[in-house]
Structure formats: C-alpha cells, structure tokens
Amino acid sequence: MAQQAARQPSQPYQDQWALMEDLFTLIDYRLYLYYKNHEWVGPRSELRNMLGLVVSREEFEHNLTKAAQTGLLQKLTPEELHQIELGDGAAQRRAEATQAELPLLLLFRRFRLDPFQRAVVALAYAASLDSKYERLFAYLQDDVTRKAPTVSLAVQLYLPAGKTVEEYTAKFSRPGLFTSLFQREALAEGTLKLQPVVLEYLSAGTVAPRHGLKLFDGASQQPEAPLVVGEALAAELEGFFDTAQAVALMGPAGAGRRFLVRQAMAHRGQKCLFADVGAAENRVQAVEQAALAARLLDAYLCLSGLEGKNAEGELEAASPELLQAIEEADPGREPLVLAVQKRLPRPVRPVTAELEVPRPEEGERLALFRHYFSQIPLAEGCCLEELSAKFAFVPQQIQGAAAQAAGLCRIQGGALSSAAAHRCCYRQVVHSLDKLAKRVTPKFTWEDVVLPASQKRLMQQACNHIRYQHRVYQEWGFAQKIGYGRGLSILFAGAPGTGKTMCAQVIARELNMEMYKINISQIVSKYIGETEKNLQTVFREARNSNCILFFDECDALFGKRSEVKDAHDRNANVEVAYLLQQIEDHDGVCILATNLIQNIDAAFMRRITYVVHFPFPEPPQRREIYLHTLPKGAPVDPDVDWDFIAEQFQLSGGHIKNIVLAAAFMAAAQDSPIGMRHLLTAAVNELRKNEMVVVREDLREYADLIED
C-alpha cells in the first residue's frame, strides 16, 4: 500500500481527489497494521463480546492484564516502519510541489497544523467521505456504536515515536485552531467529527451563502452601488486596514457601515465574510462559527447584530460573554471589523480603532436620492429636494424607497407622483409610535376648510415652510445660521368643533405626510420621570418615522408652570421644561390644538412657528359648512332653507357635522331625501344634548315640523 502511495513522488496533485486517493491509501495501511496488532476485547476475539452485555471471566482477566495503550509505531517491524515513512514522505513531497489551491492543503496552512494534526483531520475527513470506515472503526474501537474515529484511535494511529499518549491526547482538550475544526459536543465525548462548515469547505472549496452569513470577494465582485457620499469615511476606514487589529464601525442600522467595508474590499481586491449574529439562538457560538468560516476562506471578518435588547425593546451594548467570544475569535486576518449601533463597552483588541458612520446630512441625502432615483421618471411636483428634507433617511432606506418606486412605475406605468414617492418612502420607516399614538388617515382637502381667507393663507404658509425648507436652509445657507429649532410647530386655537382636527388632516394631506395623534393618557404618568421618558420616546420615534405629531387638547401637557410649593409642582414644572426642550430640538412637524390658549405656558409661544385662531363660524360660514358636509351623492330636498338653519342655530362645525349625519339616518329610515324636517329635528336634538333650550317660537313657520 505504501509503495502504491509513493509512485510518481515528484508529481504535484492535480485535484483534491488525487490527494485523497493517496491519503486513503496511507490511512488504510495504518488501519491494517493497527488491526494486525490490535488487542481484542476477549481471548477468543468474538464480536459478540463487543456488545458489552456480558463480561466473561476470561474477558475480565484479559482486560486486567492487557498492556497500556501505546502508539502504533512502537508495535511495528522495521520493514513496516519503512513503508510508512516511504508513503508519508511521498505524499508530503507531492503536496509541497502542488501549486493548485486544494481546499485540504489550504486548510492545513491556514490553521497552522502540524503533521499529527494534519493526519487527524485527514482521518476525520476520510471517515465522512467513505462509509466503509464506519464498520472498520466500530470493529477496531471495540464498540459497534463508535462509527467515527475517536481521539484514542487517532492518537494510537499517529502518535510520533518517543511521544506519550497522554501528551497528544491533551491536544484535543485545548481550545485553539485545531480543535475548532471539530464539533464541540462530539469532541467532548471523544469522537472526531468535523464541523459542517469545514466539510462544506473541503468538498466545495467555499462556504455557501446562508442566513446571517455572506461572502464578498473584492477580486471578482463589485459593491451594489458606487460610493456616492462618505469618501472621507471610506479613506479613513481603508487606512485602518493597515494599522488596526480591530475596527468598530458605529452608526445606525442602514447607515452604510458594511457598504464601506465592501468598498474597501473591492479597492483592495480581498475577501470579507459578513456575519450577522443577531438572529442566532446562541450568539457566542455564531461568532465562533463565523471566525472559523473566515479563516477557512482566508477572508476578513465583519460581525454585526452584536447588540441585545432590554425589556422595553431598546438596544443594549454587546454582552460580556459575547465580547469575550469576540476577543478570543481568530479569523486569521486583521483587522476584525465590528458593525455596531452602540459603543463597545471595552476594546476587543489592544489596537482597536473606532469610526462613526453617522446619518447623512441633508445635502448627502439629496445626492443619494438623485443617484437612486436617476432612472425613475418623476411627475411634475415630485421634488427630490423635498423628500431629502423631510425624510432623515439612512442610505439603505433611500435605496429601498427607490426600489419600491421603480417597481411601482413598472406596474402602473407613467411617471412617479409626489404622493406615490412619499408612500414609497414611508414603507421604509420602522417605528413604535403605535404604542403611544394613533395614526390618523387624512381625508379632508382645502375645499373642505371653511375659515377666513387670512387663516387659510397662514396654514398654506406653514405648508411652504416644509415644502421649501431645502431651498432656504441648504441653497440659501440658512442652515449655517440656524443651528437648531428648524422644525415646524403650529398651534390651532379655538372653541371645540371649529375645525382644528380637520385642518391638521388637511396639512398632513397637503404635505403627503403621515400623522399620529398623541394619546395624552398614555403619555402622562403619575410616576416621576415616566412622563419625560414617554415624551422622549414619542419624539425619537417621530424622527425615525418622519411623521406629523398631533397633540390634541395640548394644554394638558403644555400648561403654564406654577410656583413650586411641593414636590408635585416641581415635577410638573420639570415636565413642562422638558417638553419645551423637545419642541425646540425637534426638526419635524408638530401640530398642537387647544380650546384654552390662555392656559398655554408663555415660553411655548416663542417656540411656536405659526398660531392659527379658529373663530366661531358666522351664519355665512355655517351655511357653507352644512353644504360642504353633505356628500355629492346624498339626496337632498331642494326646499331646504339653509339660510334659516344657519342663522337660527349658532353651532360650530363639529355640531353641524352631527346634525347632518343624524338627519341623513332619519331620512334613510323613511326612504326619503334629506329634508327640512330631518335637519330641524337633528338640530333640536343636538341643542338639547348640550343642554340648550329650544323655544318653538324661534322656529317660526317650521315649528310644526318638530315632534315634541
């Protein structure tokens, strides 16, 4: 057998199968010699003794007198030793002459394995390739359940001359590159089974992409997009690849941390394995597996998903156990790259560099919008400058919005409208505002608003404040003069039912923005500090979602600060002061509505961009509100005296809506058009509901239409 392995000793291996043929031959020869010199379980060498069900007297005495285990080489004749040396030497020379990158030979080099360790790995790999070894191993190991080679068998087969069994058995209990190749649970039981990723690499020469694991080869691949922004960050990161042992890339999800790494790999023509361990059941093991795969592939390693979450769902820094695993990880190439959202509690290498990848500024967002939307036809009024100003997106969100928009244009045809572009952007938003607020779907337009012209113009000016903020802040340079307080805050003040909530919806629809109505009862808490915490969550999620915050009955939150007489007063003042700060720092849109403007703290008025007063409607406005409330398809009696109804009943728009709706149901029940009788009855009921006295004489000629 050894002579067969020694033929053509100077010929390099052309492929891995030729290498394995020689290794099979060498393994088979050692197994034969081991079989020849094996000390069986019983004197009669009966296989039934392997079952372990009965121990005969002869077997018991034999085991007591059996010599201690020694290496195979100590039992061989000089001729047999010569045959082994001849075969091993021939295989070694052929391997050294091989220029082809055979996975097994690459593994030997990348894991710095000595001759003993190489032989053990080859033995375990051969066992996985050829099922014939299962019966042989079970037979030689005196156990029908042991179908894979054991540590004991491997040590006896390959123990170098002059070495002890104990010394080489200990190699399997030390954590390191060699033992990382084997399945941990099996190795703990003394069985040698290669890790699945090792078997995959040895068979295919690579590691297939899988959930949480993806290889980028800069020599043959290019990043999914060119570097539009962040050239300075990319240059700084690439410099770290020559100096640092680890690099912590800090920034929000989707900010382009891994994108910058791919850019560096493409520029350097090297490989990087990206491992997201966040979805793994055991992150520590996921880190170990990723480091193993990276070394197999001779690739840099970029780890992400290292943070955990607390009970409130907030991100927490990597755990001490995970940091320990990262510190011990040895992927082979440095630096080790960590894509994190929160700063690491401690460095993971003596030379750990930190690089922050922030959210792009508005000018950078505009460049990204223009790049990703460059092939998408835009309708008139669809302005990328407006989108970049409204949506404080990271690059990944902009790319996702563009992909949505391109798909929408393919399905519907034609150019992308402003409303559709906004919808595509909102699909990229992830937030948890639903816990503290309720989304309001805007249903009203400017035609539904019945207000004095001056008040309508004021609201339209407020909309322009958002629509043209890019031109003012960026193109005209006001961003360098206004460091904070760039958001839009509008206060609607007026009696109940005068249209404040409706106008908030009109603004949301005009700006194509989503609106969330803040639930005051869930914000305010009796526990000290909880209200501020809830407010912080609201404003943080509003920044993430790029939506309008609508505070109805806002005087409950924005009330005047009072003289401090007890701890309750002090805490209430702290809440108001904190809310003042949040309003001033918020860059988005806030709409506040109140029935009692005199109760609003004066400090808020300076921070309010626009104040719109909603007057109680006069008869002409009330008549217009009645007509606007009726849908076009509703049947209405032409004899309805709208002037009389508007003049006689001094009610706000909210009450008018109730009257029209109640009259419609009465008419539907009678299968008739909405008439004077229905409207008057509904109006009288609305007045009585609000404890207002109705005198029949006031109804004049229509008094008989009302049933007492």
Side-chain angles (χ1 to χ4, degrees):
M1 290 185 180
Q3 290 177 346
Q4 179 183 355
R7 68 178 182 269
Q8 296 180 326
S10 61
Q11 290 293 323
Y13 293 112
Q14 298 302 315
D15 53 47
Q16 184 154 293
W17 186 247
L19 169 63
M20 289 309 301
E21 282 185 327
D22 275 4
L23 294 180
F24 278 141
T25 301
L26 296 173
I27 291 170
D28 291 348
Y29 185 56
R30 287 199 183 234
L31 290 176
Y32 167 75
L33 295 176
Y34 186 79
Y35 165 81
K36 178 182 175 183
N37 295 276
H38 189 51
E39 296 186 27
W40 305 104
V41 295
R44 291 178 293 177
S45 302
E46 293 181 356
L47 187 60
R48 62 181 175 82
N49 293 334
M50 296 172 59
L51 300 177
L53 299 177
V54 177
V55 179
S56 66
R57 180 182 183 88
E58 293 85 355
E59 183 179 351
F60 186 85
E61 292 175 352
H62 172 77
N63 284 329
L64 288 179
T65 59
K66 187 168 63 173
Q69 290 183 346
T70 57
L72 173 64
L73 298 184
Q74 297 184 24
K75 303 174 183 179
L76 303 183
T77 65
E79 178 60 27
E80 291 169 340
L81 286 172
H82 177 70
Q83 291 293 326
I84 285 182
E85 292 174 0
L86 186 64
D88 289 348
Q92 179 64 26
R93 287 191 295 274
R94 292 191 68 184
E96 291 174 353
T98 301
Q99 299 298 318
E101 294 188 341
L102 306 184
L104 186 59
L105 297 181
L106 291 175
L107 182 146
F108 290 164
R109 292 199 294 269
R110 291 170 182 172
F111 284 78
R112 302 192 293 270
L113 303 183
D114 59 33
F116 170 80
Q117 294 169 337
R118 294 182 181 190
V120 172
V121 171
L123 178 68
Y125 185 42
S128 69
L129 291 177
D130 196 336
S131 60
K132 75 176 184 181
Y133 291 109
E134 292 182 358
R135 290 172 61 85
L136 296 179
F137 290 147
Y139 189 69
L140 294 175
Q141 294 171 154
D142 301 338
D143 189 342
V144 293
T145 65
R146 294 271 190 170
K147 297 181 180 181
T150 61
V151 170
S152 175
L153 177 62
V155 170
Q156 292 180 63
L157 286 174
Y158 297 106
L159 182 68
K163 301 296 182 179
T164 65
V165 172
E166 293 78 7
E167 177 185 354
Y168 273 72
T169 301
K171 287 179 176 286
F172 295 90
S173 60
R174 302 179 192 135
L177 295 178
F178 171 57
T179 53
S180 70
L181 295 168
F182 301 97
Q183 297 179 33
R184 179 179 298 177
E185 295 79 7
L187 189 60
E189 297 175 355
T191 303
L192 297 175
K193 291 184 179 180
L194 293 174
Q195 298 262 25
V197 68
V198 176
L199 291 173
E200 179 184 354
Y201 172 76
L202 290 177
S203 300
T206 187
V207 176
R210 63 195 68 186
H211 182 64
L213 206 65
K214 188 174 183 180
L215 178 68
F216 178 84
D217 189 347
S220 58
Q221 293 178 259
Q222 288 296 318
E224 63 275 16
L227 189 63
V228 179
V229 298
E231 293 86 353
L233 282 173
E236 189 174 358
L237 173 62
E238 191 163 349
F240 288 148
F241 273 87
D242 298 320
T243 58
Q245 295 175 314
V247 178
L249 287 175
M250 300 177 295
R257 297 161 297 168
R258 288 171 289 187
F259 176 74
L260 289 176
V261 178
R262 288 192 288 272
Q263 292 287 342
M265 292 297 103
H267 187 261
R268 299 168 72 90
Q270 293 171 329
K271 293 181 287 188
C272 182
L273 184 67
F274 292 89
D276 183 357
V277 304
E281 292 184 8
N282 189 320
R283 296 187 184 187
V284 170
Q285 290 184 8
V287 168
E288 295 171 351
Q289 289 289 308
L292 172 63
R295 183 173 279 276
L296 285 169
L297 297 167
D298 190 31
Y300 289 95
L301 178 60
C302 178
L303 294 172
S304 60
L306 304 177
E307 293 86 1
K309 288 189 176 181
N310 58 21
E312 288 76 25
E314 299 173 340
L315 281 176
E316 290 183 330
S319 66
E321 296 80 12
L322 189 57
L323 283 177
Q324 183 68 28
I326 295 171
E327 289 173 352
E328 296 173 355
D330 188 1
R333 283 189 173 271
E334 289 185 340
L336 170 65
V337 182
L338 307 175
V340 295
Q341 298 184 57
K342 296 182 74 69
R343 185 181 297 273
L344 292 173
R346 65 174 187 270
V348 296
R349 296 285 192 276
V351 184
T352 299
E354 292 185 346
L355 182 62
E356 186 170 358
V357 184
R359 288 181 175 271
E361 298 291 336
E362 186 178 331
E364 295 175 320
R365 294 199 298 271
L366 179 58
L368 291 166
F369 268 104
R370 286 173 173 168
H371 170 75
Y372 287 114
F373 280 75
S374 60
Q375 304 301 316
I376 301 173
L378 303 180
E380 184 179 358
C382 184
C383 180
L384 296 181
E385 288 81 1
E386 181 182 353
L387 294 176
S388 65
K390 282 182 180 177
F391 295 95
F393 276 175
V394 294
Q396 188 178 63
Q397 290 174 302
I398 298 174
Q399 185 181 15
Q404 288 272 349
L408 192 63
C409 288
R410 285 195 299 270
I411 294 172
Q412 298 181 350
L416 184 72
S417 67
S418 178
H422 280 78
R423 287 197 300 272
C424 291
C425 288
Y426 275 114
R427 289 194 185 102
Q428 307 307 312
V429 172
V430 178
H431 61 81
S432 57
L433 262 178
D434 292 330
K435 297 177 181 178
L436 296 171
K438 180 182 179 182
R439 183 179 172 185
V440 178
T441 302
K443 297 181 180 178
F444 301 103
T445 64
W446 290 115
E447 288 71 24
D448 298 309
V449 177
V450 180
L451 279 177
S454 60
Q455 303 303 84
K456 274 180 111 172
R457 282 196 302 271
L458 197 58
M459 288 192 292
Q460 289 166 346
Q461 290 174 16
C463 292
N464 291 337
H465 190 102
I466 294 299
R467 188 176 290 115
Y468 298 108
Q469 59 182 328
H470 174 78
R471 178 178 299 175
V472 172
Y473 286 121
Q474 302 301 319
E475 295 180 10
W476 293 359
F478 274 83
Q480 293 160 16
K481 297 291 184 180
I482 310 297
Y484 60 92
R486 299 183 196 172
L488 172 65
S489 52
I490 312 171
L491 176 62
F492 290 163
T498 50
K500 301 184 293 297
T501 301
M502 182 185 73
C503 286
Q505 294 186 38
V506 170
I507 289 178
R509 183 166 181 169
E510 176 71 10
L511 294 174
N512 291 307
M513 295 180 70
E514 292 183 353
M515 185 173 77
Y516 280 81
K517 182 178 179 181
I518 305 303
N519 190 334
I520 301 295
S521 64
Q522 290 183 277
I523 292 290
V524 178
S525 174
K526 65 180 180 180
Y527 299 105
I528 294 177
E530 283 298 310
T531 300
E532 292 90 327
K533 184 177 180 180
N534 292 336
L535 286 170
Q536 183 184 34
T537 300
V538 165
F539 282 99
R540 182 185 67 242
E541 295 301 318
R543 292 186 187 96
N544 294 338
S545 60
N546 310 283
C547 67
I548 295 174
L549 292 180
F550 178 49
F551 292 87
D552 199 8
E553 307 293 343
C554 69
D555 44 278
L557 276 176
F558 297 75
K560 291 182 179 180
R561 285 169 286 188
S562 60
E563 180 183 352
V564 176
K565 296 181 180 178
D566 53 27
H568 180 272
D569 293 337
R570 184 182 298 107
N571 182 53
N573 288 348
V574 168
E575 292 176 1
V576 174
Y578 182 79
L579 192 52
L580 281 167
Q581 177 187 343
Q582 290 293 321
I583 287 288
E584 190 161 30
D585 292 342
H586 187 55
D587 288 338
V589 182
C590 289
I591 300 178
L592 304 89
T594 181
N595 305 327
L596 304 168
I597 191 172
Q598 67 274 13
N599 289 351
I600 300 295
D601 193 288
F604 278 107
M605 301 309 292
R606 180 181 64 82
R607 292 163 172 82
I608 298 299
T609 315
Y610 296 94
V611 177
V612 181
H613 292 276
F614 285 70
F616 198 87
E618 296 296 326
Q621 284 81 39
R622 292 199 291 270
R623 184 182 192 280
E624 192 174 351
I625 293 172
Y626 275 109
L627 296 177
H628 274 86
T629 306
L630 285 165
K632 293 181 180 179
V636 181
D637 191 325
D639 294 333
V640 172
D641 190 346
W642 295 109
D643 291 328
F644 174 81
I645 295 175
E647 177 72 33
Q648 190 62 38
F649 302 106
Q650 299 180 15
L651 297 169
S652 66
H655 295 297
I656 292 173
K657 180 196 71 174
N658 293 340
I659 291 170
V660 172
L661 189 61
F665 276 105
M666 284 188 282
Q670 298 175 7
D671 194 20
S672 68
I674 301 172
M676 197 67 177
R677 176 188 299 274
H678 308 123
L679 289 165
L680 288 175
T681 302
V684 170
N685 290 339
E686 185 71 16
L687 290 171
R688 289 173 177 171
K689 181 181 72 176
N690 291 276
E691 298 183 352
M692 298 180 186
V693 178
V694 180
V695 181
R696 288 183 61 86
E697 288 73 12
D698 293 340
L699 300 178
R700 300 200 295 266
E701 68 270 25
Y702 301 109
D704 293 336
L705 297 177
I706 303 299
E707 297 179 2
D708 293 332

